Amino acid sequence: MDLNLQGKVALVVASSQGLGKAIAAQLVEEGASVMLTSRDEEKLKAVQEELAQLGKGKVAFHRADITNVEDIQALVQATRETFGKIDILINNAGGPPGGTFEQFSDEQWQQAFELNLLSYVRVIREVLPDLKQDGGRIINVASSSIKQPIPGLILSNTFRTGIVGLTKSLAEELGPYNILINTVAPGRIATDRVAFLDDLKANKTGKTREQIEEESKKSIPLNRYGRPEEFAKVVTFLVSDASTYITGSSLLVDGGMVKSI
Ligand SMILES: NC(=O)c1ccc[n+]([C@@H]2O[C@H](COP(=O)([O-])OP(=O)(O)OC[C@H]3O[C@@H](n4cnc5c(N)ncnc54)[C@H](OP(=O)(O)O)[C@@H]3O)[C@@H](O)[C@H]2O)c1
């Protein structure tokens, strides 16, 4: 199966660590050129150096806070100037704070909206002229909460389902341009974010992080957390020429954790 990603250009948002970094690495492995971005220039430089060692696709970075519209515009412009085009967009962001309904103010709801939903809208809007040129691809990274809300993560639960509505609507609107757009939803993939959430739960319950992890793993049929590269491979398949008839879908990468049909 030929993924045919050589010569393709991907903008991978929130790629200084975790899932974004793993996706960027996988795309570079397959010969795509990748623009990395996050708020932290030092981290981005280190990731660029690491991925450049792979010796496959080219790697560049541009610092941006994706809650800032001017930063997004400058990021997309920098990607065009560096690589001449954009074929693939991976929308991703940091997770919102954990907590329940009565803990959050309007301001916190607004911040989560801007980070976890509006940023996706804004980046898609900016890259659309490029993607329309030659049947581009968009992946929106969400969460297993799109299928089953996670207790204590109301901000995530609310805005991730918005991503699904956006993806499904855009599959309809962008189909005529041969742009394929899908949501990919991680369950529990071992990254700093998941370690942070496990610590949070450990502090709340008086258990250790290891105990929380063990309990979590018991709810996963494969009995383990996923590896970032396992998640990245699914995303890479969906943006490759091996996948040409999947659009508007939501795909869980969760080791079977979500129980609904
Ligand atoms: N890992 C999982 O199993 C899992 C499960 C469900 C949902 N998710 C969601 O999937 C997303 C990625 O997860 P992850 O585990 O890779 O998280 P992570 O390790 O916390 O990484 C988050 C990334 O987002 C970047 N970022 C945060 N705020 C940003 C901003 N305002 N502008 C630009 N970049 C920003 C961070 O970079 P800088 O700090 O360098 O800016 C970092 O690269 C998160 O939204 C997470 O909640 C993950």
Side-chain angles (χ1 to χ4, degrees):
M1 194 158 58
D2 190 358
L3 299 184
N4 204 19
L5 284 165
Q6 294 90 342
K8 294 280 166 67
V9 174
L11 169 56
V12 184
V13 179
S15 44
S16 64
Q17 63 180 57
L19 302 181
K21 179 185 168 188
I23 295 165
Q26 196 63 46
L27 290 172
V28 172
E29 271 284 352
E30 293 299 330
S33 293
V34 170
M35 177 61 85
L36 305 164
T37 186
S38 85
R39 297 160 300 178
D40 188 326
E41 205 148 275
E42 286 303 305
K43 268 163 52 182
L44 289 170
K45 195 169 181 323
V47 176
Q48 182 202 26
E49 281 165 10
E50 188 184 326
L51 300 197
Q53 305 263 325
L54 299 170
K56 307 267 175 75
K58 294 189 184 116
V59 192
F61 69 88
H62 183 92
R63 198 211 74 87
D65 180 338
I66 40 137
T67 59
N68 179 306
V69 72
E70 283 88 21
D71 277 16
I72 290 175
Q73 287 163 347
L75 166 68
V76 172
Q77 192 52 32
T79 311
R80 282 186 195 121
E81 281 167 14
T82 307
F83 296 121
K85 59 172 186 167
I86 305 171
D87 304 296
I88 297 163
L89 166 64
I90 311 295
N91 255 333
N92 183 35
T100 52
F101 183 75
E102 290 180 291
Q103 286 175 263
F104 293 119
S105 62
D106 272 7
E107 196 188 352
Q108 288 167 305
W109 276 94
Q110 184 68 31
Q111 282 167 355
F113 165 63
E114 288 181 12
L115 179 64
N116 294 110
L117 187 55
L118 187 59
S119 74
Y120 285 38
V121 171
R122 285 170 163 168
V123 184
I124 291 170
R125 185 187 290 129
E126 286 305 312
V127 300
L128 258 191
D130 302 76
L131 299 188
K132 280 181 177 175
Q133 299 294 317
D134 194 20
R137 303 293 175 96
I138 303 171
I139 297 294
N140 291 325
V141 175
S143 160
S144 62
S145 64
I146 64 169
K147 298 285 184 193
Q148 182 177 310
I150 303 170
L153 278 181
I154 193 162
L155 296 176
S156 171
N157 296 341
T158 304
F159 294 115
R160 312 288 194 186
T161 46
I163 292 174
V164 178
L166 175 71
T167 305
K168 201 73 188 158
S169 308
L170 284 179
E172 187 77 30
E173 291 186 25
L174 303 181
Y177 301 97
N178 198 27
I179 295 174
L180 275 54
I181 175 167
N182 291 289
T183 302
V184 186
R188 296 191 77 73
I189 313 290
T191 65
D192 288 359
R193 166 76 177 171
V194 165
F196 165 80
L197 291 174
D198 284 351
D199 278 338
L200 211 69
K201 209 167 173 187
N203 287 339
K204 243 191 216 157
T205 56
K207 296 178 182 170
T208 64
R209 190 211 288 178
E210 289 67 33
Q211 285 171 316
I212 297 293
E213 264 187 41
E214 280 318 303
E215 286 172 13
S216 240
K217 286 175 188 170
K218 277 190 196 134
S219 71
I220 302 172
L222 295 185
N223 198 32
R224 63 178 176 85
Y225 286 179
R227 296 185 295 276
E229 60 272 22
E230 292 180 295
F231 184 83
K233 282 180 184 169
V234 175
V235 171
T236 301
F237 164 72
L238 285 172
V239 301
S240 78
D241 274 5
S243 168
T244 48
Y245 204 58
I246 302 175
T247 191
S249 287
S250 299
L251 188 59
L252 285 167
V253 183
D254 72 339
M257 184 180 81
V258 169
K259 307 299 181 221
S260 66
I261 291 175

